[in-house]
Amino acid sequence: MFSLHLGPLGSASVFIAFGLALYGALAGAIGATRKDARLQTSARLAAVAGFVITTAAVVVMQAALLGDDFSVSYVASHSRIASPTWVKIVTMWAALEGSILLWAWLLTGYTALLAVTAPLSPLRPWAISIMQGVQVFFLGVVGFLANPFTVLPVPPLDGPGPNELLQNHWMMSVHPVFMYLGFVGLTVPFAYAVAALITRRPGTEWMTQTRRWILTGWGFLSAAIVAGGWWSYEVLGWGGYWAWDPVENVSFMPWLTATAFIHSVQVQERRRMLKPWNVLLIISTFSLSILGTFLTRSGVVSSVHAFGNGPVGPAFLAFFLVVTLASFGLLAVRWDDVKDRADLDSVVSREGSFLGVNILFVALTAAVFLGTLFPLVVEAVSGAKVTVGAPFFDQVTLPIWMLVFLLMGIGPLLPWRRAQQQRLGRNLAWMLGALVVSGAVAWLLGVHKVYPLLTVAVAGYNVMSLILLLSGALVPRFRLSKLGPLRILRSYAAESPRRTGSMIVHLAVVIVALGVAFSSGYRVDEQLRLDFGASAEFSGYTLTAVDRFMERTPQRISAGAIIEVSRNGRPVTTLRPRLNLFGEAGRTVPTPAVYYTPTHDLYLNLNSTVGPDSTFVVLRVVKSPLVTWIWVGGAILLLGTAYSLRGARRGVTARVAVGEAREGAAP
């Protein structure tokens, strides 16, 4: 009888996909050099075929996980029969080998989509060839260094299951996927930028081709960072969402440089300035994503997010060095082609503010880079253990963020080239007035800590900026058309999706900043010992330990406490913080209980074990003001990004055409 062996089938799929990627990279490069359309077409077909074959490898892995095929090494090491279906599915990216397979699959998907949808241009064959070159590396790692389909001669009867922290919350089903979609999405503009350098076409063409790709990658990376913070908040039990963990930092650095790029690329579109700067930023963004992957998969850093001691670390380090040296070397060789031939007319202009924001984002990246890598360098050189914690990052980055918020408010109100002093003065008067009023109101309401107070003030300043932007666009239309305000607003949003999306994103950033400032500055954190049947007061709440409980499912054993929460004598809610044990050999992990409100969260985490004979429970109790608005702001930011995508291509094309026309008309 025919017997299907998933391990060999999965390995064969990976090796075929590797061969297709290698062929596509070479055929595309040769076809572009010789201007051979048949070779270029075959490279594009290879990109589509590579995606189909890699999809087959993913299907095989999912079949092995869902079918509990423990002859496949990855399943034996990271899955368990008792795990629910959703945990088995997400187990594919719960460990090193499967996560690289997911990355490779998404990369082949982006490449196939690019091969099918990208318009014909001299850049396209080179860009697809570079994407396939990156595929060669990732599929090579999957096939030769971290093959998840290795067949075990003697399969175990069951496995240990994935990391307990990863199966403790549904957010792990989306956070890593968003992260990889972001990193891989940012590969596309990198490929086009390098293609532009190779073909000596570093103008606006490569940006026109990649505008949607950079926004898509940035949006997914933003979603991943917010989702990761929420997962940390709901799982790790300390009541926080960002700890300047090295793995958090390595996802944050590409986000910072990509954010800078999204702003500076507009200067190149409008003024034909910052060409080398934009190429440098997008190369840095891609290089930092590879560096982050090296750090998290080599065992160099210790983190709850890292896959320590993986066999792929040296390969990623070598790939990072090759990509960085080759890309920056090519930029140096093509310097005469990319250097700017236009000058900044005035610092007080929109391009001046965008340049200032860029410098601040690069300064933030440098600070995070230094704080993340400094302990590693010291340990490598002297063997000494050095820790760079949150106080360093807060002291260095918070003042820079304040400057970013000031420029974020005034920048969109400034015209290109040079601002008119009268209009600038009027706008600044409104914005500074809002800054003073909002700061004064916050002070009167009891906000006396420096950074929360400054954040409220710059929030008022930025909200006034958005009001001025909207009124400047809507009031003339209202006077001319006499339509209702909502119809005018709807019409403007439909005609200017990119502008509208950017305003939504800026509003979201303000909301997130307020959530971070208040949840950090006014957090109340205590440890309480409660006898069962007794009550304790905490920050206006009365907590009563009513009882203990234990639940047993095939997946886990949970033990916890039932805590009734009341305020001013009236019941508010009942919370059930617990400890979970996944599998017999697993370790205990907490599941905090959170009472969400618009003004603050009440967060309970068990700091002691609870059994049938326990007479008391020890709780970590945290009250965090406005923390929910971080997640709300993140959702609004994604909506704004998605709305911007509606007009990305059209807006860029129009601006480029205007820029070219002006350049052609110039004496």
Side-chain angles (χ1 to χ4, degrees), residues 44 48 109-120 124 128 188 192 209 212-213 649:
R44 293 171 62 205
V48 176
Y110 271 96
T111 309
L113 190 60
L114 188 69
V116 172
T117 62
L120 178 62
R124 188 180 70 180
I128 294 173
V188 179
Y192 265 92
Q209 303 289 330
R212 283 183 174 170
W213 296 99
R649 183 71 180 277

PDB file of all heavy atoms in Angstrom, residues 44 48 109-120 124 128 188 192 209 212-213 649:
ATOM      1  N   ARG A  44      10.367  35.420 -13.924  1.00  0.00           N
ATOM      2  CA  ARG A  44       9.079  35.750 -13.278  1.00  0.00           C
ATOM      3  C   ARG A  44       8.248  34.485 -13.062  1.00  0.00           C
ATOM      4  O   ARG A  44       7.618  34.314 -12.013  1.00  0.00           O
ATOM      5  CB  ARG A  44       8.301  36.742 -14.142  1.00  0.00           C
ATOM      6  CG  ARG A  44       8.966  38.126 -14.229  1.00  0.00           C
ATOM      7  CD  ARG A  44       8.281  38.989 -15.266  1.00  0.00           C
ATOM      8  NE  ARG A  44       6.901  39.241 -14.940  1.00  0.00           N
ATOM      9  CZ  ARG A  44       5.962  39.531 -15.832  1.00  0.00           C
ATOM     10  NH1 ARG A  44       6.265  39.549 -17.117  1.00  0.00           N
ATOM     11  NH2 ARG A  44       4.727  39.763 -15.453  1.00  0.00           N
ATOM     12  N   VAL A  48       6.748  32.689  -9.483  1.00  0.00           N
ATOM     13  CA  VAL A  48       5.407  32.167  -9.191  1.00  0.00           C
ATOM     14  C   VAL A  48       5.485  30.688  -8.805  1.00  0.00           C
ATOM     15  O   VAL A  48       4.857  30.245  -7.820  1.00  0.00           O
ATOM     16  CB  VAL A  48       4.484  32.359 -10.409  1.00  0.00           C
ATOM     17  CG1 VAL A  48       3.114  31.742 -10.144  1.00  0.00           C
ATOM     18  CG2 VAL A  48       4.336  33.844 -10.739  1.00  0.00           C
ATOM     19  N   GLY A 109       5.892  34.598  -1.493  1.00  0.00           N
ATOM     20  CA  GLY A 109       4.591  35.181  -1.827  1.00  0.00           C
ATOM     21  C   GLY A 109       4.713  36.621  -2.302  1.00  0.00           C
ATOM     22  O   GLY A 109       4.114  37.010  -3.309  1.00  0.00           O
ATOM     23  N   TYR A 110       5.489  37.428  -1.578  1.00  0.00           N
ATOM     24  CA  TYR A 110       5.708  38.818  -2.000  1.00  0.00           C
ATOM     25  C   TYR A 110       6.363  38.853  -3.389  1.00  0.00           C
ATOM     26  O   TYR A 110       6.000  39.667  -4.239  1.00  0.00           O
ATOM     27  CB  TYR A 110       6.607  39.530  -0.995  1.00  0.00           C
ATOM     28  CG  TYR A 110       5.884  40.206   0.151  1.00  0.00           C
ATOM     29  CD1 TYR A 110       5.721  39.583   1.370  1.00  0.00           C
ATOM     30  CD2 TYR A 110       5.382  41.494   0.011  1.00  0.00           C
ATOM     31  CE1 TYR A 110       5.080  40.210   2.431  1.00  0.00           C
ATOM     32  CE2 TYR A 110       4.734  42.142   1.050  1.00  0.00           C
ATOM     33  CZ  TYR A 110       4.579  41.485   2.268  1.00  0.00           C
ATOM     34  OH  TYR A 110       3.936  42.116   3.298  1.00  0.00           O
ATOM     35  N   THR A 111       7.337  37.967  -3.604  1.00  0.00           N
ATOM     36  CA  THR A 111       8.054  37.973  -4.882  1.00  0.00           C
ATOM     37  C   THR A 111       7.123  37.591  -6.031  1.00  0.00           C
ATOM     38  O   THR A 111       7.154  38.210  -7.106  1.00  0.00           O
ATOM     39  CB  THR A 111       9.248  37.004  -4.831  1.00  0.00           C
ATOM     40  OG1 THR A 111      10.021  37.270  -3.667  1.00  0.00           O
ATOM     41  CG2 THR A 111      10.125  37.160  -6.058  1.00  0.00           C
ATOM     42  N   ALA A 112       6.285  36.573  -5.802  1.00  0.00           N
ATOM     43  CA  ALA A 112       5.343  36.165  -6.851  1.00  0.00           C
ATOM     44  C   ALA A 112       4.353  37.285  -7.154  1.00  0.00           C
ATOM     45  O   ALA A 112       4.041  37.556  -8.323  1.00  0.00           O
ATOM     46  CB  ALA A 112       4.604  34.903  -6.405  1.00  0.00           C
ATOM     47  N   LEU A 113       3.881  37.940  -6.101  1.00  0.00           N
ATOM     48  CA  LEU A 113       2.950  39.052  -6.309  1.00  0.00           C
ATOM     49  C   LEU A 113       3.617  40.187  -7.082  1.00  0.00           C
ATOM     50  O   LEU A 113       3.019  40.790  -7.981  1.00  0.00           O
ATOM     51  CB  LEU A 113       2.460  39.560  -4.943  1.00  0.00           C
ATOM     52  CG  LEU A 113       1.301  40.560  -4.947  1.00  0.00           C
ATOM     53  CD1 LEU A 113       0.067  39.953  -5.604  1.00  0.00           C
ATOM     54  CD2 LEU A 113       0.970  40.999  -3.519  1.00  0.00           C
ATOM     55  N   LEU A 114       4.875  40.430  -6.749  1.00  0.00           N
ATOM     56  CA  LEU A 114       5.626  41.463  -7.470  1.00  0.00           C
ATOM     57  C   LEU A 114       5.804  41.070  -8.940  1.00  0.00           C
ATOM     58  O   LEU A 114       5.648  41.895  -9.852  1.00  0.00           O
ATOM     59  CB  LEU A 114       6.992  41.650  -6.798  1.00  0.00           C
ATOM     60  CG  LEU A 114       7.852  42.810  -7.290  1.00  0.00           C
ATOM     61  CD1 LEU A 114       7.229  44.137  -6.896  1.00  0.00           C
ATOM     62  CD2 LEU A 114       9.261  42.703  -6.693  1.00  0.00           C
ATOM     63  N   ALA A 115       6.116  39.784  -9.170  1.00  0.00           N
ATOM     64  CA  ALA A 115       6.335  39.317 -10.541  1.00  0.00           C
ATOM     65  C   ALA A 115       5.077  39.428 -11.384  1.00  0.00           C
ATOM     66  O   ALA A 115       5.140  39.669 -12.597  1.00  0.00           O
ATOM     67  CB  ALA A 115       6.825  37.868 -10.522  1.00  0.00           C
ATOM     68  N   VAL A 116       3.926  39.279 -10.746  1.00  0.00           N
ATOM     69  CA  VAL A 116       2.658  39.306 -11.481  1.00  0.00           C
ATOM     70  C   VAL A 116       2.131  40.724 -11.662  1.00  0.00           C
ATOM     71  O   VAL A 116       1.568  41.061 -12.709  1.00  0.00           O
ATOM     72  CB  VAL A 116       1.613  38.437 -10.737  1.00  0.00           C
ATOM     73  CG1 VAL A 116       0.236  38.600 -11.343  1.00  0.00           C
ATOM     74  CG2 VAL A 116       2.035  36.973 -10.766  1.00  0.00           C
ATOM     75  N   THR A 117       2.308  41.571 -10.657  1.00  0.00           N
ATOM     76  CA  THR A 117       1.643  42.880 -10.671  1.00  0.00           C
ATOM     77  C   THR A 117       2.552  44.052 -11.036  1.00  0.00           C
ATOM     78  O   THR A 117       2.038  45.109 -11.427  1.00  0.00           O
ATOM     79  CB  THR A 117       1.024  43.174  -9.294  1.00  0.00           C
ATOM     80  OG1 THR A 117       2.075  43.237  -8.308  1.00  0.00           O
ATOM     81  CG2 THR A 117       0.031  42.101  -8.904  1.00  0.00           C
ATOM     82  N   ALA A 118       3.863  43.921 -10.879  1.00  0.00           N
ATOM     83  CA  ALA A 118       4.738  45.075 -11.117  1.00  0.00           C
ATOM     84  C   ALA A 118       4.715  45.477 -12.585  1.00  0.00           C
ATOM     85  O   ALA A 118       4.818  44.614 -13.470  1.00  0.00           O
ATOM     86  CB  ALA A 118       6.166  44.741 -10.697  1.00  0.00           C
ATOM     87  N   PRO A 119       4.575  46.766 -12.880  1.00  0.00           N
ATOM     88  CA  PRO A 119       4.573  47.203 -14.280  1.00  0.00           C
ATOM     89  C   PRO A 119       5.948  47.022 -14.913  1.00  0.00           C
ATOM     90  O   PRO A 119       6.974  47.033 -14.223  1.00  0.00           O
ATOM     91  CB  PRO A 119       4.193  48.687 -14.179  1.00  0.00           C
ATOM     92  CG  PRO A 119       4.572  49.093 -12.799  1.00  0.00           C
ATOM     93  CD  PRO A 119       4.405  47.892 -11.940  1.00  0.00           C
ATOM     94  N   LEU A 120       5.937  46.861 -16.223  1.00  0.00           N
ATOM     95  CA  LEU A 120       7.198  46.670 -16.943  1.00  0.00           C
ATOM     96  C   LEU A 120       8.060  47.929 -16.832  1.00  0.00           C
ATOM     97  O   LEU A 120       7.604  49.047 -17.070  1.00  0.00           O
ATOM     98  CB  LEU A 120       6.896  46.379 -18.410  1.00  0.00           C
ATOM     99  CG  LEU A 120       8.119  46.191 -19.317  1.00  0.00           C
ATOM    100  CD1 LEU A 120       8.939  44.985 -18.868  1.00  0.00           C
ATOM    101  CD2 LEU A 120       7.679  46.039 -20.776  1.00  0.00           C
ATOM    102  N   ARG A 124      12.285  46.359 -12.954  1.00  0.00           N
ATOM    103  CA  ARG A 124      11.575  45.156 -12.529  1.00  0.00           C
ATOM    104  C   ARG A 124      12.414  43.881 -12.549  1.00  0.00           C
ATOM    105  O   ARG A 124      12.447  43.149 -11.537  1.00  0.00           O
ATOM    106  CB  ARG A 124      10.308  44.968 -13.363  1.00  0.00           C
ATOM    107  CG  ARG A 124       9.418  43.854 -12.843  1.00  0.00           C
ATOM    108  CD  ARG A 124       8.172  43.698 -13.676  1.00  0.00           C
ATOM    109  NE  ARG A 124       8.446  43.158 -14.998  1.00  0.00           N
ATOM    110  CZ  ARG A 124       7.512  42.918 -15.923  1.00  0.00           C
ATOM    111  NH1 ARG A 124       6.250  43.199 -15.645  1.00  0.00           N
ATOM    112  NH2 ARG A 124       7.829  42.431 -17.102  1.00  0.00           N
ATOM    113  N   ILE A 128      13.152  41.787  -9.056  1.00  0.00           N
ATOM    114  CA  ILE A 128      12.714  40.406  -8.835  1.00  0.00           C
ATOM    115  C   ILE A 128      13.927  39.498  -8.620  1.00  0.00           C
ATOM    116  O   ILE A 128      13.913  38.598  -7.764  1.00  0.00           O
ATOM    117  CB  ILE A 128      11.869  39.927 -10.029  1.00  0.00           C
ATOM    118  CG1 ILE A 128      10.568  40.740 -10.092  1.00  0.00           C
ATOM    119  CG2 ILE A 128      11.552  38.445  -9.926  1.00  0.00           C
ATOM    120  CD1 ILE A 128       9.728  40.466 -11.323  1.00  0.00           C
ATOM    121  N   VAL A 188      10.931  44.625  -0.482  1.00  0.00           N
ATOM    122  CA  VAL A 188      10.613  45.075  -1.844  1.00  0.00           C
ATOM    123  C   VAL A 188      11.236  46.445  -2.154  1.00  0.00           C
ATOM    124  O   VAL A 188      11.931  46.589  -3.177  1.00  0.00           O
ATOM    125  CB  VAL A 188       9.087  45.085  -2.075  1.00  0.00           C
ATOM    126  CG1 VAL A 188       8.759  45.584  -3.473  1.00  0.00           C
ATOM    127  CG2 VAL A 188       8.505  43.700  -1.852  1.00  0.00           C
ATOM    128  N   TYR A 192      14.148  47.315  -5.009  1.00  0.00           N
ATOM    129  CA  TYR A 192      14.031  48.349  -6.045  1.00  0.00           C
ATOM    130  C   TYR A 192      15.117  49.413  -5.902  1.00  0.00           C
ATOM    131  O   TYR A 192      15.615  49.945  -6.909  1.00  0.00           O
ATOM    132  CB  TYR A 192      12.647  48.989  -5.983  1.00  0.00           C
ATOM    133  CG  TYR A 192      11.664  48.360  -6.954  1.00  0.00           C
ATOM    134  CD1 TYR A 192      10.860  47.312  -6.550  1.00  0.00           C
ATOM    135  CD2 TYR A 192      11.580  48.797  -8.270  1.00  0.00           C
ATOM    136  CE1 TYR A 192       9.964  46.719  -7.433  1.00  0.00           C
ATOM    137  CE2 TYR A 192      10.693  48.219  -9.163  1.00  0.00           C
ATOM    138  CZ  TYR A 192       9.887  47.172  -8.743  1.00  0.00           C
ATOM    139  OH  TYR A 192       9.016  46.585  -9.633  1.00  0.00           O
ATOM    140  N   GLN A 209       7.336  52.905  -7.825  1.00  0.00           N
ATOM    141  CA  GLN A 209       7.016  51.485  -7.893  1.00  0.00           C
ATOM    142  C   GLN A 209       6.785  50.870  -6.518  1.00  0.00           C
ATOM    143  O   GLN A 209       6.119  49.834  -6.405  1.00  0.00           O
ATOM    144  CB  GLN A 209       8.174  50.736  -8.580  1.00  0.00           C
ATOM    145  CG  GLN A 209       8.522  51.219  -9.964  1.00  0.00           C
ATOM    146  CD  GLN A 209       7.459  50.847 -10.973  1.00  0.00           C
ATOM    147  OE1 GLN A 209       6.796  49.841 -10.826  1.00  0.00           O
ATOM    148  NE2 GLN A 209       7.300  51.655 -12.008  1.00  0.00           N
ATOM    149  N   ARG A 212       3.405  51.652  -2.327  1.00  0.00           N
ATOM    150  CA  ARG A 212       2.454  50.784  -1.625  1.00  0.00           C
ATOM    151  C   ARG A 212       3.168  49.696  -0.830  1.00  0.00           C
ATOM    152  O   ARG A 212       2.729  49.301   0.248  1.00  0.00           O
ATOM    153  CB  ARG A 212       1.484  50.151  -2.626  1.00  0.00           C
ATOM    154  CG  ARG A 212       0.418  51.121  -3.096  1.00  0.00           C
ATOM    155  CD  ARG A 212      -0.570  50.463  -4.022  1.00  0.00           C
ATOM    156  NE  ARG A 212      -1.667  51.375  -4.335  1.00  0.00           N
ATOM    157  CZ  ARG A 212      -2.562  51.141  -5.263  1.00  0.00           C
ATOM    158  NH1 ARG A 212      -2.505  50.042  -5.971  1.00  0.00           N
ATOM    159  NH2 ARG A 212      -3.532  52.012  -5.481  1.00  0.00           N
ATOM    160  N   TRP A 213       4.277  49.216  -1.361  1.00  0.00           N
ATOM    161  CA  TRP A 213       5.001  48.154  -0.655  1.00  0.00           C
ATOM    162  C   TRP A 213       5.574  48.668   0.669  1.00  0.00           C
ATOM    163  O   TRP A 213       5.528  47.975   1.681  1.00  0.00           O
ATOM    164  CB  TRP A 213       6.125  47.616  -1.535  1.00  0.00           C
ATOM    165  CG  TRP A 213       5.644  46.946  -2.781  1.00  0.00           C
ATOM    166  CD1 TRP A 213       5.572  47.473  -4.034  1.00  0.00           C
ATOM    167  CD2 TRP A 213       5.147  45.609  -2.906  1.00  0.00           C
ATOM    168  NE1 TRP A 213       5.068  46.561  -4.929  1.00  0.00           N
ATOM    169  CE2 TRP A 213       4.803  45.404  -4.270  1.00  0.00           C
ATOM    170  CE3 TRP A 213       4.960  44.562  -2.016  1.00  0.00           C
ATOM    171  CZ2 TRP A 213       4.295  44.206  -4.733  1.00  0.00           C
ATOM    172  CZ3 TRP A 213       4.448  43.358  -2.481  1.00  0.00           C
ATOM    173  CH2 TRP A 213       4.125  43.195  -3.820  1.00  0.00           C
ATOM    174  N   ARG A 649      -0.323  55.107  -5.148  1.00  0.00           N
ATOM    175  CA  ARG A 649       0.287  55.127  -6.481  1.00  0.00           C
ATOM    176  C   ARG A 649      -0.105  56.375  -7.264  1.00  0.00           C
ATOM    177  O   ARG A 649       0.711  57.053  -7.855  1.00  0.00           O
ATOM    178  CB  ARG A 649      -0.161  53.872  -7.226  1.00  0.00           C
ATOM    179  CG  ARG A 649       0.435  53.724  -8.584  1.00  0.00           C
ATOM    180  CD  ARG A 649       1.928  53.392  -8.463  1.00  0.00           C
ATOM    181  NE  ARG A 649       2.496  53.253  -9.783  1.00  0.00           N
ATOM    182  CZ  ARG A 649       2.425  52.144 -10.488  1.00  0.00           C
ATOM    183  NH1 ARG A 649       1.846  51.087  -9.967  1.00  0.00           N
ATOM    184  NH2 ARG A 649       2.969  52.067 -11.678  1.00  0.00           N
TER     185      ARG A 649
END
